[in-house]
Amino acid sequence: MTSAASANFFELFQMPATFRLDLGQLDRHYLELQSRVHPDKAAHLSDTEKRLSLQWATLANEAYQTLKKPLERARYLLKINGVDTREEDNTAMPTEFLLEQIEWREEIQEAVTLRNTHAMDRLAARLKSETNQLFDSLGTLLDDERQHPAAAVIVRQLAFLEKLGRDLNDAMAALED
């Protein structure tokens, strides 16, 4: 077993570096890899081999967690293609998108104030639909058109929607208390 430090996550699972990924195949490759590198399999080996086994198992877990989540997978694809999404310091967004974010927040606040669970359910369904549309766009931009800078903008928008989804879930949970 060699060092795991330089492995590309897609290569690790022998999968194409694409956004549209066969998740069933990813699961199978992950389980197969873990069956070979899990530290329990190295209990009878030398300390160096045990350490390498632990490194491989850790890398396999990190790679699997990254590739199975679409937003993390998109970030990783952009990273290996030399594009930093700059989510921490680049908040430049299309004005229309930012206005929608304000409207979403106002609608959530109104539903909370009125304790309207049906309105919250409708917001959750709409958020899921809009998120799925953006993931479809990401697939086109990353896999078909290879427009990485445009895909980075979509990733930043999805990060906003992900936070909005967490806030919406918190508001829904608060209404159930």
Side-chain angles (χ1 to χ4, degrees):
M1 199 175 299
T2 59
S3 174
S6 63
N8 171 310
F9 292 171
F10 291 98
E11 293 168 355
L12 184 67
F13 294 118
Q14 300 173 354
M15 299 191 70
T18 60
F19 180 73
R20 297 181 193 112
L21 208 56
D22 181 339
L23 296 179
Q25 186 179 24
L26 175 65
D27 288 344
R28 287 188 298 278
H29 286 228
Y30 170 71
L31 292 173
E32 191 278 326
L33 181 60
Q34 278 294 2
S35 74
R36 287 187 288 136
V37 301
H38 194 279
D40 289 347
K41 302 277 184 184
H44 64 289
L45 300 176
S46 70
D47 287 344
T48 300
E49 290 168 317
K50 287 177 189 174
R51 185 178 46 78
L52 286 173
S53 178
L54 181 60
Q55 288 175 349
W56 274 104
T58 301
L59 178 66
N61 284 334
E62 179 186 355
Y64 179 71
Q65 293 301 320
T66 298
L67 297 185
K68 81 174 191 176
K69 299 174 190 168
L71 187 53
E72 293 298 318
R73 184 170 56 248
R75 286 179 178 127
Y76 184 72
L77 270 168
L78 290 169
K79 179 181 171 187
I80 64 174
N81 282 286
V83 176
D84 182 353
T85 60
R86 298 183 49 224
E87 294 169 59
E88 303 82 26
D89 64 352
N90 183 352
T91 56
M93 295 280 180
T95 303
E96 181 179 310
F97 180 80
L98 293 174
L99 291 173
E100 287 174 357
Q101 295 303 299
I102 293 169
E103 290 173 13
W104 275 98
R105 299 278 174 198
E106 290 172 352
E107 290 179 46
I108 292 171
Q109 188 56 49
E110 181 180 331
V112 167
T113 300
L114 298 174
R115 303 192 59 77
N116 186 340
T117 56
H118 296 295
M120 295 288 235
D121 290 342
R122 284 191 301 273
L123 288 168
R126 201 172 97 210
L127 180 61
K128 183 176 181 180
S129 175
E130 291 191 22
T131 298
N132 287 339
Q133 287 175 7
L134 287 176
F135 279 129
D136 287 345
S137 296
L138 258 183
T140 300
L141 291 169
L142 290 169
D143 294 349
D144 302 333
E145 300 174 1
R146 306 191 72 63
Q147 293 187 23
H148 297 127
V153 173
I154 300 294
V155 166
R156 287 195 299 273
Q157 290 177 346
L158 281 163
F160 267 76
L161 295 186
E162 187 177 74
K163 179 171 183 346
L164 184 67
R166 285 192 304 268
D167 293 346
L168 182 58
N169 286 337
D170 290 347
M172 292 171 83
L175 285 183
E176 293 174 3
D177 290 340

